[in-house]
Amino acid sequence: MQELRLKASELLLREEWHDSVQVYTQFITLCRSHIEKHPPPLCNSPHLTKIQRSLCLGLSNRAEAHFRLRDPDKALRDCNQALEIEPTHYKSLLGKGRILFALNRYSAALLCFKSALLEDPQSNETLNGYIEKCKKLESLSRTGAFDLTDWVLNGFRGKTPELAEYVGAVKIKRSDELSGRGLFATKNMDAGTLVLVTKAIATERCILSNEEEDSAENAQLVMWKSFIDQVSDSAAKCTWIRRLISTLSPGDDEASLEIPETELFKGELTEECGESEPDLSSDDLLNILDVNSLVEDSVSAKVLGKNSDYYGVGLWVLASFINHSCIPNSRRLHVGDYVMVHLSKDVKAGEELTFSYFDVLLPLEKRKEMSQTWGFSCHCRRCRFEEGFWADKQELKEIEMMGLGKGKGMVDFGGVIFRIEEAMKRWNVRGREKGYLRASFWGVYEDGYASVKRWGRRIPASDVVVESVAEAVGSDERLLKVLMRDMTNKSGVLEIERAMKLGKGVYGKVVKKKSLRSLIGVEVQEQKVY
């Protein structure tokens, strides 16, 4: 036993985790065998107590090795068994706290760290650091009071901000208008409001070459395989992760899927990972990843920091419940391995939260083609309106061919905008429906306001159109760029407030006023270069 203990300790110090687990397992088996051979009257003998302490330390050290191998189920099990032998064992309390902290269970981790501090006050520097982190992240997970201001103002240099799991005023329900299940607001919220923050089960990133298409495709395939392996490994080692993944749709039979409780995604639902769960087959996992994985650099997302240089894919479970709509009301920021989802326009209680899976500033037929590549048909209010509206409006089809079907140098964009606006007047198109059509012809408006001056008041001002489109389809970087470009000659209080509101919809309220101005300033510089 002594030889095994020394060998296992040496392997642990050398960070040979697999081998140390094997040797510690042998040592633990021998300890238990020795204890079991002693009849009850001898259970309290000093010799047995020494062996029990050795067993406790062996379990604690094996837990450390399991934790380093990213196997939280086994690591937690070992810590709990060690604490059954000695409830105040410092190393086991510290190890269990670290495991729970890594699983985003801040309250449970905090209790472990506080108990460990009582047992060894001399370790206050290490433990106080953990305790302060737990308190901070527990508060963030409860309040959602995240602030990226300093990081943004520092040009995204330095350490990525520490984030925590957060679930705001949302719940999962059946989606009558779209399909399957969706994420819904439980109260009225305004644009920029943060609704959830969650860490990826796994991510994979690479730099794609623009020069060779085959090379980029091969890089994506290698990246995808590595990503699948990571998710599979995490699911195999942690029942809680497997339970989360199993809530997602494999892409068929949506009506039979259960509605998971939102509490499951808060991380504090249960302390243990080790509850029995049905196995997740390889086929099920592949189908789930195919349907639910998110690409970081997408039309509804913004990647902040160093990862903006990479093409990335990941699995963010709760965010995967958000369906597509051509009138989206949500966007996301990617910060490190976390995704932060916020509203891109005001929503009411009971309204479903939606992303744009593809570019929605396009005409109906183009959007139909893109939705088919995703394997679904969109039946949102905008698509239903345009489906009936375009059917008997031959002039709309002619305008589309005129404004979007030729080279830019051949188009009089001002004339096309004038014709669109006049047609909407004749057809009595008003309110949000006017925003739908303007969004469908956004390419014409965007190029028109960049190049046309002579039409003057015969076409609506750019800020009027931007506001109309934003109310219909939510905030978008392209809308913000047009607004900021035209603000260079008139930057009054009203114009700045309008830009800040649109900026909140793009970046969210986690980016406060000063840093939001900085980000919008970057947009201005980009426009000047353009």
Side-chain angles (χ1 to χ4, degrees), residues 181-228:
R181 304 163 300 171
L183 202 62
F184 290 77
T186 58
K187 68 177 185 180
N188 296 343
M189 294 178 280
D190 59 350
T193 299
L194 186 69
V195 293
L196 72 91
V197 180
T198 187
K199 189 177 183 181
I201 299 297
T203 58
E204 189 65 27
R205 300 179 181 93
C206 69
I207 296 177
L208 298 181
S209 170
N210 294 324
E211 297 178 1
E212 298 182 16
E213 187 175 334
D214 290 343
S215 176
E217 188 174 335
N218 289 336
Q220 282 182 287
L221 289 173
V222 171
M223 184 185 74
W224 179 250
K225 182 181 182 305
S226 176
F227 171 62
I228 292 171

Side-chain angles (χ1 to χ4, degrees), residues 376-387:
F376 67 86
S377 297
C378 183
H379 301 291
C380 69
R381 289 195 307 276
R382 177 185 172 193
C383 286
R384 295 199 304 270
F385 162 71
E386 292 187 18
E387 191 80 53

Side-chain angles (χ1 to χ4, degrees), residues 473-523:
V473 302
S475 300
D476 185 283
E477 281 186 279
R478 290 164 292 179
L479 304 182
L480 184 59
K481 286 180 179 181
V482 168
L483 187 66
M484 294 306 299
R485 180 181 59 212
D486 291 350
M487 268 181 59
T488 53
N489 297 321
K490 50 173 185 177
S491 54
V493 175
L494 185 62
E495 287 79 10
I496 291 174
E497 285 182 357
R498 189 176 287 132
M500 295 294 283
K501 181 180 178 181
L502 195 60
K504 279 183 183 178
V506 173
Y507 295 102
K509 291 181 180 179
V510 295
V511 178
K512 306 303 179 187
K513 197 168 186 178
K514 191 174 181 181
S515 54
L516 183 57
R517 284 174 177 269
S518 172
L519 287 170
I520 291 175
V522 171
E523 303 294 351

